[in-house]
Structure formats: structure tokens, C-alpha cells
Amino acid sequence: MHNKFATKKRAFTLIELLVIASTTALLLAVAMPGILQARQRAREESCKNNMKQLALAMHNYHDVFNTFPPAWCARHTEADSQSWYGWQSFLLPYIEQAPLYNAIDYRTPEWTTSPPKLRGRGQTAAQEIPRIELPIYLCPQDSTGGTNPFRDGYGTSNYSGNFGTELLPRWYESGSEQFWPGGVPTPTKGNGIMFVNSKIGFRDITDGSSNTVMMSERSALSGAGIWAGVRSNRHENDVMTDMNHLSGLNKSFAGFSGRHDGKVNINLCDGSVRLVNEDIDSSIDGGVLQALGTRNGGEVVGDF
């Protein structure tokens, strides 16, 4: 029996739909910056966590060998050379990559020719091992990708060791060198933490481990880096970076750089990680950035 009091179903009018759509769009517009900011903070924290793990690995390496790892090990320092394994490959056992470490024959430095065997993967050419992507070496905020297009497609590292305040002898942005057409040997000394065949330990950091940079970021802004080592002695900044006043944060293709809204994560030798502004004091007379770059310069760093 028909109920004359039954309520009729009513559809949305066009005006009501437009009001709902505009309200939803307004809410999204208000919320989106907060969502993007939260994502960026999460990526910053992920990058920071990577660096903390690498600092712990560096300290564990130091506990075993009483020194931090060298930037890379080489039998000679001439500019023209083969590839050499570097500090991030030496840390593999301390970042849960022991099988990969055991697959590398460090007696044969040329990782573009030697054929080690990677357990569980069959016969793997040496040039394939350095192309492996290792997430711990990647900043999630960076756009370089797992393999570095700026450095022949080898596995990317967004973290680079501190060479110190002296300029490295290459110009990388144009692809030429400071002493072109000649080539100079790679520097065998630096006032930072890493250089070729270096053996720097806590005993050498007289400025204090909380006042000295151990490593920092290299993003796509400065060509990132690679984790396996250097492609030759001409490619120091595959694995390390200088902190000269000409290599300011986010201001030089040869310097440290990050994609954290004008800031860069730095890892101090005490294991702490600081997010510092790209406009940190840096000058030819020695700014805060240069003071942080030396292990034994005697500078007063202060707040940064």
C-alpha cells in the first residue's frame, strides 16, 4: 500500500556539487603544503639516518684498524691510473653487506676488468658490482638515482668524505682540469679526514671530533658520487670533496650539496649529524665552513 507520507529521494543539485568540489579543492590547497613539508621532513630524517649508520660504520672500522678508512687505496698517485676501491666499499662489512664485500678481490684494484664471483648471483663481472644500487648510500630527496649518470653509470653515493680546505686539482663542471693539458698526481695529504692511502684516526683530530666534518652530502647539484671508489686518480671527487671557500655548500659543482630546502646534512667525526644552512660563513680568510673542514687547524668554530 502506498504511503503518502514517504519521503522522496532527492539528488544533489548542480550548485551543491560545485560547492562540494570547491570546498574539497580549497581543503586540498590548504593541506597540500603541509603534506609536502611532512614528506620532505621524512626524507631529511631518512638521509640523516643513513649518515648516522655510516658514522657508526666508520667508528666500527676505526675500532678494528685504529684509523678511519682511506679515501681510496692506490699503488701509485699518478693522474693516469686504473680504478681503485674506496672508503665506502671498505665499510661494506659494517653496513650489513658482508657478502658483497667478500665478492670483491681487493688485490686486483681494477674493478673495470677483474671478474670476482658474487655469492648467489653466479659469475659477475667486476664492472657490474660497482653498478649495484645500495640504498644506504642514497639520499631519498636527491634526483640522481641509484646509478650515477654523471659518473659513467656506477652505483650512486650521495655521501662524500671530507678532504679538507685545499682545492682538489680538477675542474669537473666543464670536464677539463686545472692543469690541462697536463695531469698532476693526486694529493697525498689533506687537512681533512680522507685522501689517497690516508690513515687518519681520532688521535689526529686535535680540533675535536665535534668540530670536524667527517663526511657530507653530494647531490645532483654537484654530480653526486659513487660508492665503489674512484674511476682513476683523476677522479678524486668520486669519493671525497674539499671544503675550500670556492667550494661552498650548494654553490659549486666540486663542493658538498644537498636537496633539503637550502640546507645540507653534515656528519661530524663524533658521529652526530647536523642540518646546516647553505649560507654558512665561508670565506678566503677562513670561515666557519673552513674551520669545520680541518682536523688540526686550531680554529674556534663556535655556533653554526
Side-chain angles (χ1 to χ4, degrees):
M1 182 177 179
H2 178 69
N3 185 355
K4 63 180 180 180
F5 298 107
T7 303
K8 292 183 179 180
K9 291 184 179 180
R10 178 175 171 274
F12 286 110
T13 66
L14 179 59
I15 293 176
E16 288 172 325
L17 287 172
L18 289 174
V19 170
I20 292 171
S22 60
T23 302
T24 303
L26 179 61
L27 290 173
L28 286 173
V30 172
M32 190 56 68
I35 294 172
L36 294 176
Q37 194 173 38
R39 286 181 177 176
Q40 180 165 324
R41 283 198 298 268
R43 289 168 180 163
E44 287 175 2
E45 284 302 311
S46 179
C47 178
K48 187 176 181 179
N49 185 58
N50 285 347
M51 296 185 77
K52 285 182 176 179
Q53 291 185 62
L54 293 178
L56 179 60
M58 290 281 282
H59 284 204
N60 287 337
Y61 183 100
H62 191 285
D63 287 344
V64 175
F65 297 101
N66 201 31
T67 180
F68 290 119
W72 71 93
C73 290
R75 294 173 185 164
H76 63 83
T77 61
E78 295 304 311
D80 291 316
S81 74
Q82 65 269 56
S83 52
W84 310 95
Y85 287 106
W87 68 274
Q88 290 167 95
S89 77
F90 305 146
L91 292 185
L92 291 173
Y94 308 101
I95 56 172
E96 299 183 352
Q97 292 290 338
L100 184 57
Y101 178 83
N102 293 332
I104 297 172
D105 184 359
Y106 286 96
R107 298 168 300 177
T108 307
E110 296 182 71
W111 38 262
T112 55
T113 57
S114 59
K117 181 179 289 186
L118 185 59
R119 188 174 301 171
R121 295 170 64 99
Q123 194 72 14
T124 304
Q127 61 265 31
E128 293 180 34
I129 289 181
R131 296 185 194 279
I132 292 174
E133 301 177 20
L134 296 177
I136 193 173
Y137 288 135
L138 302 177
C139 170
Q141 190 72 9
D142 187 54
S143 59
T144 304
T147 55
N148 193 334
F150 307 106
R151 303 184 190 274
D152 298 333
Y154 290 107
T156 299
S157 175
N158 289 127
Y159 308 109
S160 186
N162 168 29
F163 173 67
T165 57
E166 297 298 319
L167 278 175
L168 290 168
R170 326 286 167 188
W171 295 110
Y172 289 90
E173 193 164 12
S174 63
S176 60
E177 296 186 17
Q178 184 177 1
F179 299 97
W180 189 88
V184 298
T186 190
T188 57
K189 292 183 179 179
N191 57 6
I193 301 301
M194 297 180 193
F195 44 90
V196 61
N197 298 330
S198 59
K199 295 180 179 179
I200 302 299
F202 282 115
R203 61 190 174 277
D204 304 302
I205 307 174
T206 56
D207 286 350
S209 60
S210 61
N211 297 319
T212 306
V213 170
M214 178 174 7
M215 70 184 84
S216 186
E217 293 186 83
R218 281 195 80 122
S219 70
L221 293 174
S222 53
I226 53 180
W227 65 261
V230 293
R231 291 165 292 166
S232 76
N233 287 338
R234 289 180 182 268
H235 296 91
E236 293 98 343
N237 74 358
D238 283 347
V239 298
M240 66 180 184
T241 303
D242 70 68
M243 298 181 69
N244 188 270
H245 70 282
L246 296 176
S247 305
L249 302 183
N250 289 345
K251 295 179 175 65
S252 166
F253 191 78
F256 290 122
S257 61
R259 305 304 294 267
H260 305 297
D261 194 24
K263 297 181 179 180
V264 180
N265 276 315
I266 63 171
N267 199 323
L268 299 169
C269 289
D270 64 0
S272 63
V273 181
R274 298 279 297 273
L275 189 63
V276 300
N277 195 291
E278 63 185 16
D279 294 323
I280 186 174
D281 178 41
S282 177
S283 70
I284 189 171
D285 297 321
V288 174
L289 187 65
Q290 286 69 53
L292 290 169
T294 66
R295 67 178 183 271
N296 55 2
E299 308 94 339
V300 177
V301 175
D303 295 329
F304 62 94

